[in-house]
């Protein structure tokens, strides 16, 4: 190796902001190369992928439609990650939110009134929150690793949803298709822009961004969450309630993901179908880190992630590419972000002597 | 000292530094430092934290490179490009913080540190036994590190240096973790090593030890050499003045106090440790009165951590009446409730319990200061928190650019002043301080001692747990010691002696029930 990594001594602030940008650029370059190999003009292809989707008002509206659930999930995840609670289960919490919201919306299909929608959305939040709390309880009670439990709960949630959409919640007049009845207007999110699908979910998401910002930086509970994540011993000595905080962050992040799920079924979809999320909950993990776990960062990262989703769809239509191109770009983004994050704590040096490098490391660990 | 004649002529230095300069961003760490060591000499490098001792050592050991100046090794000018070449030249170093793997054996650890030079493990084991016998450092090569005491771990580090052909041994604050008896044993080893011709560079700020052990001393302050002397002749006061400058008061005697009403009482405290390798507390009884300082001596790992956890509320006890603050039984209360009842707590780990390393001083003020009206309706009162942080920094002369500096950017002494200040300014009725001046420079230690005495005189009950016997004798009104989870009886400081407390530390006392 001609290059070696040298510890910086202290984390570079500048690099922690530059790293997501660098990761974005590297993703673009790699994506371009990838398009060349597939026989496309890379600039045209990247244009189709990243610019065409938002070239008109409708595209912009769609961007917000997709960004909203990602943003909601990512804001909640960031909170959990700050407490070093590794909630990988936003997808499952989103699905449970969608499922419970659908169940309630179908119960209220005849009902009318302003109260219907809040009830439906709150049941979504409840569904997600309970799903999150379950993992938190397992961690507190049995010391079960939440990474594993939340991932497994994602699958359970998915199959629960499929079970109900094929069974109890299936539309009796739906000719046997695995879909629920279409929700009533009272249980559907109002549209913000006419002739688009842009619904008020994006407002919820933006509210969540601002609220979580205030919560984490101004409230004492937010402070406790940060202390817990940075230094659990200090938190313990100060008498901060570890288990309660874990429950709280899982409750909040679950509820936000649940609202995201409820927003999908009561918004652009309008009914319960087998696939209510193209992996928003997973994408939100990338978004949370890409946004440096900071609400403002998450806001922009969500828009970028939504753009990648739309670009993937458009590339499918215009360039005859498989939909997997979306996952590919997501994966590259995360990959490069993790790689670039190494530079926050390390700098790259030309290696003059390998022995020196090895010894330096042992001393550094002393 | 031990009959070893030090060559007085400058014909044959083992190591000679000429005009060594090292510039770090914003700080001149070493400014034209000169230093000479002859074979068989024990040379002290004295200085407060931040004086540039570590930087200088790191350059000798090849960890960093000087910006200017020359290094001569046995008369020849050399560039020490990295620690491994330093080792090959015959330089060994024992760091203050050990780099040992707990789950590996002594031999395995040493083999890892030596890398390619380790050779055959069986050969190495023999060599370890041989070396440790020769220098009176009992050490079993097959034992796992986690089962060793701190003193034994240090031996592993020293033996690691000695299994190679060693000509210069550098020790960074080696005595800060040892009991008086262990220190004596270490000194015997070092003297023997020196008698065999090995040069020793002994880094310390404990003047008595330097006077006992070292043939000569170089004193650093602010990166510059402020003087060279023969410790045996110079006297502690002169060396201290060279270290801290003329404007810092050095040591004082503090008046002892008898105290008033009992505030903290611990009754029949027995508990198992949360840590599988921890000590079990056995029927501990003691009291701390208002306006007195009770000192608990003892070697690390004899139950101090468990006792501290039982007092802070990190370990909730089975019975409320085991720990009492005045008339309130607090054994079942969590740390926050105990704070509400007047507990202030200074933990052993400054970074990582006393303060969150990555957080600013302002946020670290909030960490335990939240009961001082810094939070209203669940929201942090930024202005008040900033005020409180500024007050701590000003009152306790914490050297920092401002309150937004991260805790980890402060030197140990400054951070400790900050933590002590934070606790004291909350007007605790009981302050529990663990190793309050561990690894702290004289200036900061004096400031901390003064602050504790002042708090005592205001009527607070203070419990100090420390491994530093001199410190305990200096500030405590009453003393006892902990050994293997049992507490010795306590005696007024004026009525006991270092020897007696030293015996208590090794477990020689009647019955723990006598402790009052």
């Amino acid at each position: 190796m001609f290059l070696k990594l040298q510890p910086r001594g202290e984390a570079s602030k500048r690099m922690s902001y530059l790293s997501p940008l660098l990761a974005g650029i590297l993703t673009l370059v790699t994506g371009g190369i990838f398009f060349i190999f597939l026989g496309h003009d890379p600039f045209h292809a990247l244009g189709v992928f990243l610019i065409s989707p938002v070239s008109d008002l409708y595209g912009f509206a769609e961007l917000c439609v997709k960004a909203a659930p990602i943003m909601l999930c990512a804001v909640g995840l960031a909170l959990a990650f700050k407490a070093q609670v590794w909630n990988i289960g936003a997808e499952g919490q989103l699905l449970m939110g969608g499922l419970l919201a659908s169940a309630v919306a179908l119960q209220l299909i005849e009902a009318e009134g302003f109260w219907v929608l809040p009830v439906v959305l709150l049941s979504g939040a409840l569904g997600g929150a309970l799903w999150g709390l379950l993992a938190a309880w397992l961690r507190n009670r049995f010391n079960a690793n939440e990474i594993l439990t939340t991932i497994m709960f994602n699958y359970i949630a998915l199959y629960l949803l499929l079970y109900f959409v094929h069974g109890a919640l299936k539309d009796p007049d739906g000719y046997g298709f695995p879909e629920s009845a279409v929700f009533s207007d009272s249980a559907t999110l109002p549209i913000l822009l006419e002739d688009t699908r842009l619904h008020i979910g994006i407002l919820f998401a933006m509210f969540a961004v601002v609220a979580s910002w205030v919560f984490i930086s101004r409230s004492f509970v937010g402070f406790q969450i940060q202390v817990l994540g940075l230094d659990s011993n200090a938190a313990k000595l100060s008498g901060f309630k570890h288990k309660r905080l874990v429950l709280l962050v899982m409750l909040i992040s679950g509820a936000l993901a649940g609202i995201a799920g409820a927003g999908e079924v009561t918004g652009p979809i309008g009914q319960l179908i087998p696939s209510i999320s193209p992996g928003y909950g997973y994408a939100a993990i990338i978004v949370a880190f890409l946004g440096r776990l900071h609400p403002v960062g998450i806001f922009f990262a969500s828009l970028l992630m939504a753009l990648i989703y739309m670009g993937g769809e458009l590339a499918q239509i215009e360039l005859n590419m498989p939909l997997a191109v979306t996952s590919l770009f997501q994966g590259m983004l995360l990959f490069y972000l993790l790689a670039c994050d190494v530079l926050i704590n390390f700098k790259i040096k030309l290696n003059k002597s390998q022995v020196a490098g090895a010894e330096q490391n042992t001393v550094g660990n002393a | 000292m031990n009959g070893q004649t030090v060559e007085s002529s400058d014909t044959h230095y083992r190591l000679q530094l000429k005009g060594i300069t090292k510039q770090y961003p914003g700080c001149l760490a070493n400014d034209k430092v000169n230093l000479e060591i002859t074979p068989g000499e024990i040379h002290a490098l004295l200085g407060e934290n931040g004086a540039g001792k570590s930087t200088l050592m790191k350059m000798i050991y090849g960890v960093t490179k000087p910006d200017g100046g020359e290094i001569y090794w046995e008369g020849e000018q050399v560039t020490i490009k990295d620690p491994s070449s330093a080792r090959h030249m015959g330089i060994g170093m024992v760091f203050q913080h050990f780099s040992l793997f707990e789950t590996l054996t002594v031999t395995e650890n040493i083999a890892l540190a030596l890398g390619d030079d380790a050779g055959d493990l069986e050969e190495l084991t023999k060599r370890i036994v041989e070396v440790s016998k020769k220098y009176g450092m009992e050490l079993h090569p097959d034992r796992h590190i986690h089962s060793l005491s701190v003193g034994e771990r240090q031996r592993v580090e020293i033996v690691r240096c000695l299994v190679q052909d060693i000509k210069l041994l550098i020790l960074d604050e080696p005595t800060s973790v040892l009991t008086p008896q262990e220190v004596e044993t270490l000194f015997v080893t070092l003297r023997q090593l020196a008698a065999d011709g090995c040069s020793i560079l002994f880094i310390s700020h404990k003047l008595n030890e330097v006077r006992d052990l070292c043939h000569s001393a170089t004193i650093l302050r602010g990166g510059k050499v402020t003087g060279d002397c023969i410790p045996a002749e110079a006297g502690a006061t002169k060396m201290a003045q060279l270290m801290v400058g003329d404007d810092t008061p050095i040591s004082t005697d503090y008046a002892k106090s008898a105290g008033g009403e009992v505030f903290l009482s611990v009754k029949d405290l027995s508990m198992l440790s949360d840590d599988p390798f921890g000590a079990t507390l056995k029927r501990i009884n003691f009291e701390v009165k208002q306006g007195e300082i009770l000192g608990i001596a003892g070697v690390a790992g004899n139950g101090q951590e468990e006792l501290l956890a039982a007092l802070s509320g990190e370990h909730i006890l089975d019975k409320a009446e085991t720990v009492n603050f005045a008339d309130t039984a607090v054994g079942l209360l969590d740390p926050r409730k105990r704070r509400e009842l007047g507990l202030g707590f200074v933990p052993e780990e400054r970074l990582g319990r006393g303060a969150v390393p990555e957080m600013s001083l302002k946020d670290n003020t909030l960490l335990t200061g939240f009961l001082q009206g810094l939070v209203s309706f669940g929201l942090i009162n930024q202005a008040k928190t900033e005020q409180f942080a500024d007050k701590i920094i000003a009152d306790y002369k914490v050297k920092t650019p401002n309150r937004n500096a991260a805790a980890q950017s402060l030197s140990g002494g400054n951070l400790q002043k900050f933590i002590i200040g934070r606790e004291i300014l909350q007007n605790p009725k009981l302050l529990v301080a663990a190793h309050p001046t561990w690894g702290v420079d004289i200036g900061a230690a004096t400031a901390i001692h003064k602050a504790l005495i002042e708090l005592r005189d205001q009527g607070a009950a203070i419990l100090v747990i420390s491994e530093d016997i001199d410190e305990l004798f200096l500030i405590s009104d009453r003393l006892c010691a902990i050994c293997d989870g049992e507490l010795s009886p306590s005696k007024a400081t004026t009525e006991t002696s270092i020897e007696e407390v030293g015996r208590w530390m090794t477990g020689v006392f009647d019955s723990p029930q006598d402790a009052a």
Side-chain angles (χ1 to χ4, degrees), chain A residues 3-4 10 21 24 51 72 76 80 85 118 120 125 135 150 155 160 170 194 231 244 268 275 302 314 358:
Chain A
L3 298 175
K4 71 167 181 173
E10 74 184 278
L21 283 180
I51 298 171
L72 279 165
V85 173
V120 170
T150 52
Y155 291 97
L160 273 175
K170 188 161 70 174
E194 259 182 63
D231 188 342
R244 257 189 241 175
S275 60
S302 306
L314 211 58

Side-chain angles (χ1 to χ4, degrees), chain A residues 10 214 216-221 223-224 226-227 230-241 353 355-356 359-360 362-363 365-366, chain B residues 63 82-84 87 95 97 99 312 314 334-336 339 345 347 352-353 355-359 363 366-368 370 375 378-380 382:
Chain A
E10 74 184 278
V214 172
I216 203 78
S217 63
R218 289 286 180 263
S219 82
F220 187 50
V221 178
F223 174 78
Q224 294 183 29
Q226 292 184 59
V227 172
L230 289 169
D231 188 342
S232 61
N233 286 329
K236 190 175 179 192
L237 183 60
S238 297
F240 301 162
K241 304 262 189 292
S353 147
V355 186
E359 181 70 33
Q360 194 100 54
T362 45
V363 172
N365 291 337
Chain B
V63 180
D82 54 49
S84 117
R87 282 208 320 256
F95 288 91
H97 302 288
S99 44
S312 71
E314 287 163 285
D334 66 42
R336 179 177 176 150
R339 279 192 173 275
F345 196 90
R353 254 174 97 204
V356 181
E358 296 89 347
M359 282 188 161
D363 285 346
L366 191 62
L367 182 64
T368 70
F370 56 87
V375 176
L379 290 181
I380 300 162
Q382 304 288 341

Side-chain angles (χ1 to χ4, degrees), chain B residues 101-387:
Chain B
F101 294 95
E102 304 249 327
T103 50
L104 298 182
T105 64
V106 171
T107 312
E108 286 164 345
N109 264 289
I110 292 179
L112 267 176
L114 295 180
D116 293 339
D117 306 327
D120 182 46
L121 272 192
E122 272 177 40
E123 278 297 309
L124 183 64
T125 308
K126 271 187 211 153
R127 187 110 183 80
I128 291 168
V129 174
E130 202 178 295
V131 168
S132 54
K133 273 224 179 89
K134 181 173 175 197
Y135 292 104
M137 291 183 288
E138 214 177 298
L139 200 59
H140 199 292
D142 294 331
R143 276 183 68 185
H144 287 90
I145 297 299
H146 65 70
S147 70
L148 301 183
S149 72
V150 181
E152 288 170 317
R153 289 175 196 212
Q154 187 179 57
R155 287 183 197 163
V156 178
E157 292 271 354
I158 295 175
V159 167
R160 170 179 61 87
C161 300
L162 300 188
V163 290
Q164 291 196 309
D165 220 1
I166 190 154
K167 291 176 179 160
L168 171 65
L169 179 63
I170 308 173
L171 297 147
D172 186 8
E173 305 266 358
T175 60
S176 56
V177 293
L178 304 179
T179 64
Q181 284 85 353
E182 280 175 318
V183 169
E184 242 344 284
T185 323
L186 172 69
F187 283 4
V188 170
T189 303
L190 294 182
R191 287 186 190 115
Q192 194 186 341
L193 208 62
D196 287 353
C198 180
S199 307
I200 292 169
L201 192 53
F202 185 83
I203 290 137
S204 179
H205 62 248
K206 292 190 186 162
L207 300 166
N208 293 337
E209 291 173 356
V210 168
R211 210 176 40 195
D212 279 356
L213 179 74
C214 300
H215 305 129
S216 55
T218 298
I219 296 136
L220 281 182
R221 183 174 53 189
K224 283 187 189 147
V225 174
T226 50
D228 288 287
C229 66
I230 309 288
E233 292 165 9
T237 324
K238 173 151 183 261
M239 288 195 288
Q241 290 293 2
L242 287 170
M243 266 170 77
V244 298
D246 294 328
D247 42 350
T248 313
I250 304 161
S251 77
T252 0
D253 278 329
Y254 302 108
K256 300 295 176 194
S257 148
E261 299 275 303
V262 170
F263 186 78
L264 170 69
S265 57
V266 174
K267 290 173 191 152
D268 248 353
L269 167 62
S270 299
M271 80 181 224
L272 287 171
S273 178
D274 296 332
D275 175 357
F277 301 113
T280 303
L281 297 183
K282 294 159 201 153
R283 307 198 64 189
I284 286 187
N285 286 285
F286 68 92
E287 288 173 343
V288 187
K289 299 187 200 110
Q290 290 172 346
E292 83 161 349
I293 300 180
L294 174 69
I296 299 185
V299 182
N302 272 293
Q304 290 94 330
E305 280 174 44
E306 290 74 15
L307 180 58
L308 288 165
L311 293 176
S312 71
E314 287 163 285
H315 184 112
I316 307 280
L317 298 164
D318 302 331
K319 254 172 59 193
E321 294 76 27
T322 315
V323 178
N324 304 280
F325 293 173
D327 296 327
T328 318
V330 301
L332 302 178
L333 300 183
D334 66 42
R336 179 177 176 150
K337 297 223 178 72
R338 295 192 197 191
R339 279 192 173 275
E340 283 165 4
L341 290 169
L343 172 70
F345 196 90
V346 180
E348 178 178 4
E349 301 91 348
R350 259 158 243 158
L351 281 176
R353 254 174 97 204
V356 181
E358 296 89 347
M359 282 188 161
S360 66
L361 292 181
K362 183 192 132 198
D363 285 346
N364 272 303
T365 302
L366 191 62
L367 182 64
T368 70
F370 56 87
L371 291 170
Q372 307 302 310
L374 305 183
V375 176
S376 44
F377 303 109
L379 290 181
I380 300 162
N381 187 329
Q382 304 288 341
K384 273 194 182 171
T385 310
E386 284 168 7
Q387 259 174 28

Side-chain angles (χ1 to χ4, degrees), chain A residues 8 24 77 116 139 146 158 168 224 232 259 310 318 323:
Chain A
R8 275 185 198 272
L77 289 183
V116 175
R139 168 174 153 146
E146 73 278 9
L158 177 62
Q224 294 183 29
S232 61
I259 291 176
M310 294 177 68
E318 292 206 1
L323 192 59

